[in-house]
Amino acid sequence: AQTVTQSQPEMSVQEAETVTLSCTYDTSESDYYLFWYKQPPSRQMILVIRQEAYKQQNATENRFSVNFQKAAKSFSLKISDSQLGDAAMYFCAYRSANFGNEKLTFGTGTRLTIIP
Amino acid sequence: GAVVSQHPSRVICKSGTSVKIECRSLDFQATTMFWYRQFPKQSLMLMATSNEGSKATYEQGVEKDKFLINHASLTLSTLTVTSAHPEDSSFYICSARDNLPNEQFFGPGTRLTVL
């Protein structure tokens, strides 16, 4: 079974600074997807960024980028120019690429606080 | 963009009663929907996978007779918590998979409180 580990229960960053959230995972599969989701106080899950394992290039979405290290099974999220609206719980998630097995496995989450 | 709604957003019920939560995909057809449970300050735990027109697949440890899931159409899945007890109090979140095979869209969640 796949597992996802987020070793940082809480992180804080000064507004406008850069922060990196860590995520490691364990799987025996070679093809899969990785995601970062944001859950603000409203508790609505919002997709921040996704990475296909077969792609070597790291995904980027505006101020959000990932460092995907397949061999190390590491998938960190970098948030640049942090904004107050970035304050939320961040969950790393894994999904198999096998058809019929689309369930997401989530890490335990990292609570990000933005310091004004 | 793809939108998923849940109803109700919050519900309070007495112990022993049943509660139904609806999950709807508003602008796409979802052959697969997922039900998650989230305890305070914890992660999302998958309860079951719901496929339109077939029986749901439950995760290990989830009582299928207690958490009844019905996926009667391509836009609607329901979760019924039968004979609810205080320990069933939690935040329930659904998600729906659209035609893209690699993305799920989440509903806003339902907070269930059992007195």
Side-chain angles (χ1 to χ4, degrees):
Chain A
Q2 294 79 24
T3 59
V4 178
T5 302
Q6 292 179 251
S7 59
Q8 306 155 315
E10 297 183 351
M11 291 282 284
S12 61
V13 62
Q14 204 82 27
E15 191 176 4
E17 296 295 310
T18 296
V19 64
T20 298
L21 308 184
S22 301
C23 173
T24 59
Y25 59 94
D26 189 27
T27 184
S28 59
E29 298 179 324
S30 60
D31 198 13
Y32 47 86
Y33 303 97
L34 295 166
F35 305 85
W36 278 98
Y37 283 91
K38 169 184 177 181
Q39 188 179 43
S42 68
R43 304 191 76 170
Q44 171 73 58
M45 295 290 285
I46 301 167
L47 177 64
V48 175
I49 199 166
R50 70 168 172 261
Q51 174 80 42
E52 290 86 350
Y54 65 86
K55 290 185 178 179
Q56 292 187 336
Q57 186 173 7
N58 289 325
T60 300
E61 287 287 343
N62 300 314
R63 298 183 293 108
F64 300 87
S65 62
V66 299
N67 183 1
F68 173 49
Q69 301 290 327
K70 191 172 184 178
K73 296 180 181 176
S74 171
F75 182 62
S76 61
L77 173 70
K78 185 171 82 171
I79 305 174
S80 303
D81 186 25
S82 298
Q83 300 176 0
L84 294 178
D86 295 333
M89 281 290 292
Y90 285 82
F91 293 99
C92 179
Y94 171 101
R95 178 188 170 275
S96 170
N98 292 331
F99 180 79
N101 187 18
E102 294 96 357
K103 66 180 183 180
L104 289 166
T105 300
F106 288 92
T108 51
T110 297
R111 180 173 300 281
L112 179 64
T113 300
I114 310 298
I115 303 168
Chain B
V3 178
V4 176
S5 70
Q6 275 185 248
H7 179 80
S9 58
R10 57 176 59 197
V11 56
I12 301 173
C13 69
K14 293 182 180 180
S15 184
T17 60
S18 295
V19 174
K20 180 183 287 187
I21 302 170
E22 293 185 346
C23 177
R24 293 182 184 273
S25 56
L26 298 185
D27 51 4
F28 66 98
Q29 293 183 330
T31 54
T32 305
M33 290 184 174
F34 304 86
W35 287 95
Y36 297 86
R37 184 173 180 175
Q38 185 179 32
F39 289 106
K41 298 184 179 181
Q42 294 190 22
S43 186
L44 282 72
M45 298 299 295
L46 180 67
M47 299 175 64
T49 302
S50 166
N51 291 295
E52 187 266 338
S54 63
K55 291 183 178 180
T57 301
Y58 291 81
E59 294 298 299
Q60 192 172 9
V62 177
E63 299 176 60
K64 61 181 181 180
D65 293 331
K66 181 168 188 61
F67 299 99
L68 299 179
I69 292 173
N70 184 288
H71 194 158
S73 76
L74 288 172
T75 58
L76 174 65
S77 177
T78 59
L79 167 67
T80 301
V81 183
T82 62
S83 186
H85 291 283
E87 57 265 31
D88 298 325
S89 298
S90 189
F91 194 67
Y92 293 87
I93 305 174
C94 74
S95 70
R97 181 176 70 87
D98 69 0
N99 290 334
L100 296 171
N102 61 350
E103 188 167 347
Q104 296 179 24
F105 296 93
F106 285 83
T110 296
R111 181 179 302 280
L112 170 63
T113 302
V114 184
L115 303 176

